[in-house]
């Protein structure tokens, strides 16, 4: 079995006025927010998918169906904690992750330190293991028209040092 594995996550959420905007576990002040079955935190969703994919554990929708009422409006940080339990049970820990948020407005760079601090606490890892970047699409496409937000993430996981291994 390999000691290192890489996973990839991608997600999109529609933006709607007068909805709270949760991103990276924090509430971003803005007139629009992402909509979804949960709190629609697109960054946490791609992190979950990247980690699950790296461990060959399918995807976030498989584990937390949007058809299941128990996940309606759920804080995505709780989903991330559950993903980390699954990762741990599979014998892996996070090496690092690198994520990019695609959003025209609001500007995300000022919020990245708070997102990293929040995610590091939830994941019980060092902030240095989490890279978050932000970009626009230069007004092109659904992101550029401010109709939605998308995010990408790659994660490196490594096998834990187990006794007698």
């Amino acid at each position: 079995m390999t000691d290192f594995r890489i996973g990839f996550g991608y997600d999109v959420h529609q933006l709607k006025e007068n909805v709270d905007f949760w991103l990276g576990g924090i509430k971003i002040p803005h007139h629009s927010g992402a909509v979804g079955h949960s709190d629609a935190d697109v960054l946490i969703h791609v992190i979950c998918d990247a980690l699950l994919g790296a461990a060959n554990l399918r995807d976030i929708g498989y584990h937390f169906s949007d058809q299941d009422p128990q996940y309606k409006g759920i804080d995505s940080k709780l989903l991330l904690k559950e993903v980390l339990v699954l990762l741990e049970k599979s014998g892996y820990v996070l090496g690092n992750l690198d994520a990019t948020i695609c959003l025209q407005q609001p500007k995300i760079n000022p919020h990245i330190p708070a997102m990293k601090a929040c995610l590091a606490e939830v994941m019980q890892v060092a902030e240095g293991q989490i890279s978050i970047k932000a970009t626009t699409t230069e007004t092109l496409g659904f992101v550029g028209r401010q109709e939605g937000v998308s995010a990408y993430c790659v994660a490196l996981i490594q096998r834990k040092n187990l006794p007698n291994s």
Side-chain angles (χ1 to χ4, degrees):
M1 190 159 267
T2 59
D3 289 333
F4 295 95
R5 298 180 67 125
I6 297 171
F8 173 76
Y10 170 74
D11 197 17
V12 171
H13 282 278
Q14 182 181 17
L15 293 175
K16 185 175 178 184
E17 288 204 21
N18 301 315
V19 172
D20 288 340
F21 193 15
W22 289 95
L23 196 56
I26 66 168
K27 188 174 172 183
I28 305 288
H30 195 56
H31 60 80
S32 296
V35 293
H37 187 70
S38 67
D39 64 5
D41 189 323
V42 69
L43 180 57
I44 289 182
H45 294 177
V46 296
I47 291 170
C48 289
D49 267 348
L51 293 169
L52 290 166
N56 197 19
L57 295 172
R58 301 195 58 173
D59 60 42
I60 192 172
Y62 176 79
H63 293 280
F64 313 108
S65 171
D66 63 3
Q67 303 302 305
D68 191 332
Q70 74 174 317
Y71 301 120
K72 179 71 176 156
I74 194 168
D75 182 338
S76 291
K77 293 186 294 288
L78 298 174
L79 303 180
L80 180 55
K81 286 181 182 183
E82 286 300 314
V83 166
L84 292 166
V85 168
L86 293 169
L87 198 68
E88 171 90 12
K89 287 180 180 176
S90 294
Y92 288 97
V93 294
L94 176 69
N96 72 297
L97 61 86
D98 183 23
T100 301
I101 302 161
C102 301
L103 184 67
Q104 201 66 40
Q105 289 291 329
K107 296 299 182 192
I108 296 303
N109 276 323
H111 304 287
I112 288 175
M115 286 189 263
K116 286 179 66 169
C118 176
L119 292 169
E121 183 178 330
V122 169
M123 299 176 74
Q124 296 293 289
V125 299
E127 286 185 37
Q129 292 172 267
I130 301 170
S131 170
I132 301 171
K133 303 176 303 297
T135 191
T136 69
T137 59
E138 302 295 333
T139 71
L140 297 173
F142 71 88
V143 170
R145 291 187 302 270
Q146 300 183 49
E147 297 169 354
V149 56
S150 64
Y152 303 83
C153 182
V154 291
L156 178 70
I157 61 173
Q158 61 189 75
R159 184 152 300 281
K160 294 186 299 186
N161 291 331
L162 302 172
N164 302 322
S165 61

